Amino acid sequence: MAKRRFPVRVLRYWWLGLVIGEEVKELGRPLTVVDVGCDRGTIKRIVLPIFGAKWIGLDIDTNREGIGLANYDELIECDFDQGLALPDGEADIVICSHVLEHLPRPDFTMREINRIMKPGGLLLVGVPVTLKLFAKIREYQFEKQLNAGTRFRWQHVRVYWRKRLEKLARESGFDVAF
C-alpha cells in the first residue's frame, strides 16, 4: 500500500478558502478574485467553487504544467517588478501567497496591489516568517549569492518577520487586521 503524504502547508489553502468564503457571504455579490503569483493554480483548485466569482491569475509564467486545470477566467502573464496588468479598482480580493519573498521590490508590488483593489477590498498575504535576526542573516547570505551569481531572479531574495511585513503593508496603504 502506498504511503500518502498530507503536508501541513496545504492548510494555508484551506484557510484562504475559509476567508474568501466569509467575504463572499458578507458582501453578498459576485466577487473578482486576483491570484498574484498563481503559479500552477493550486489555490484556485483547492478553494471550493464560489458562485459568480471571477478569478484572474497573474504570474511571470502562465505556461506552467497543470495551470489549465485551475480554469481561471483570465490568465495574465506579467512581471510583478514592472507592474500588474490590471486596471485600478479591479479586485475585491487579492491573494498574494508566497510571492513577496521572491521580489526585488516588494514595496512596488504591494503598491500595485493596492492600486488594483476596490476600496474596502481584502488582501490575503502569506510569506515565510522567522525571527528578525535570522531574517537579516539570511538576506545577507542571499545578497552575497546574488552577487556571486549562485542565486537567481525569482528565487527567495527577501526574508520577513512579522513587524517587517506589517510595516510593508501599512506603507503600501493597507490596514493590517491579522
Side-chain angles (χ1 to χ4, degrees), residues 41-147:
T42 305
I43 293 169
K44 172 119 179 7
R45 288 189 285 165
I46 290 178
V47 169
L48 293 175
I50 302 166
F51 179 75
K54 176 182 177 183
W55 281 78
I56 302 171
L58 303 177
D59 206 281
I60 189 73
D61 179 4
T62 57
N63 295 309
R64 296 175 198 261
E65 183 180 334
I67 197 165
L69 297 172
N71 291 317
Y72 285 97
D73 297 297
E74 289 182 47
L75 198 53
I76 301 170
E77 193 164 292
C78 64
D79 180 341
F80 304 149
D81 205 34
Q82 302 299 316
L84 302 182
L86 291 172
D88 296 358
E90 175 80 9
D92 294 291
I93 298 173
V94 174
I95 301 167
C96 185
S97 181
H98 293 266
V99 172
L100 296 176
E101 64 271 22
H102 298 272
L103 302 177
R105 299 187 309 154
D107 52 331
F108 173 80
T109 303
M110 286 287 283
R111 287 191 304 274
E112 278 290 287
I113 290 171
N114 193 320
R115 179 187 65 75
I116 68 166
M117 290 184 67
K118 292 179 182 173
L122 178 65
L123 170 62
L124 302 170
V125 174
V127 294
V129 294
T130 189
L131 298 173
K132 183 177 180 178
L133 173 64
F134 298 138
K136 288 191 171 275
I137 291 169
R138 194 69 180 127
E139 267 193 12
Y140 173 75
Q141 293 170 331
F142 288 166
E143 187 66 32
K144 283 178 63 176
Q145 292 167 349
L146 283 165
N147 291 336

Side-chain angles (χ1 to χ4, degrees), residues 12-25 31 50 93 122-124 178:
R12 69 181 173 218
Y13 304 120
W14 169 78
W15 178 81
L16 287 168
L18 291 178
V19 174
I20 292 168
E22 285 181 18
E23 191 74 2
V24 167
K25 285 179 191 173
L31 303 178
I50 302 166
I93 298 173
L122 178 65
L123 170 62
L124 302 170
F178 173 71

